[in-house]
Amino acid sequence: MKGKLVALVALVSVFVMTGCGGKNLTCTTSNDIAGIEMNSTVKISFKGDKMNDMKVIIDVKVPDEYKDQKQDLVDELKELDENIKVTETKDGVKAEMTADEDYFKQLNIDSETVTYDDLKKAFEAQKYTCK
């Protein structure tokens, strides 16, 4: 199960939806790599103890000196997964991805065994702040 959590966190780190009722987990992180600022937000909803759905939003601010490479970034993100919605913003690129139980099954992630506490610990280990 630990490998599945790592796979889920890795997917989320590269890139999910708040549901009605139940618990919600929201985790955020900010990174600056070579002057490129990246802010990530992951929202996971649970129905009872079962992970219901997830939304990942990554906002990349592209500095002026890299503006000519912005389209390359858009293209690369779109190639990662057909479920990723990529849009250009004034300052860079925004990527959004939503996953539900069917998508989790495609990744061999059992949404019934992944707990709120397990996910929170896994994200916090990846330097996310969760609430």
Side-chain angles (χ1 to χ4, degrees):
M1 183 171 93
K2 197 170 193 174
K4 291 179 183 177
L5 283 176
V6 171
L8 180 62
V9 171
L11 171 69
V12 169
S13 294
V14 176
F15 270 84
V16 177
M17 185 167 254
T18 307
C20 299
K23 270 189 202 179
N24 294 313
L25 177 64
T26 301
C27 300
T28 59
T29 190
S30 295
N31 298 302
D32 189 311
I33 302 169
I36 298 174
E37 184 182 332
M38 184 171 74
N39 298 303
S40 302
T41 301
V42 181
K43 296 178 182 179
I44 304 167
S45 68
F46 292 81
K47 284 190 178 176
D49 292 332
K50 181 180 171 186
M51 186 170 53
N52 186 49
D53 56 25
M54 179 170 60
K55 183 173 187 173
V56 177
I57 302 169
I58 298 176
D59 188 18
V60 181
K61 293 192 174 148
V62 179
D64 288 339
E65 61 264 26
Y66 296 115
K67 292 288 185 192
D68 61 332
Q69 297 174 18
K70 191 157 90 169
Q71 187 59 49
D72 292 337
L73 178 59
V74 169
D75 294 341
E76 285 181 34
L77 290 171
K78 285 182 178 179
E79 288 179 20
L80 286 175
D81 191 302
E82 65 184 26
N83 294 313
I84 299 172
K85 177 186 169 193
V86 183
T87 54
E88 286 191 50
T89 64
K90 179 183 172 196
D91 297 333
V93 176
K94 185 177 195 175
E96 297 180 66
M97 182 177 162
T98 302
D100 59 12
E101 188 173 344
D102 292 334
Y103 190 76
F104 299 144
K105 285 179 185 175
Q106 291 175 13
L107 298 175
N108 293 320
I109 297 170
D110 184 353
S111 63
E112 294 189 30
T113 60
V114 178
T115 69
Y116 177 97
D117 290 334
D118 290 340
L119 280 174
K120 185 173 186 231
K121 286 177 189 174
F123 279 109
E124 288 174 341
Q126 296 293 317
K127 308 294 186 217
Y128 280 76
T129 301
C130 298
K131 56 180 179 174

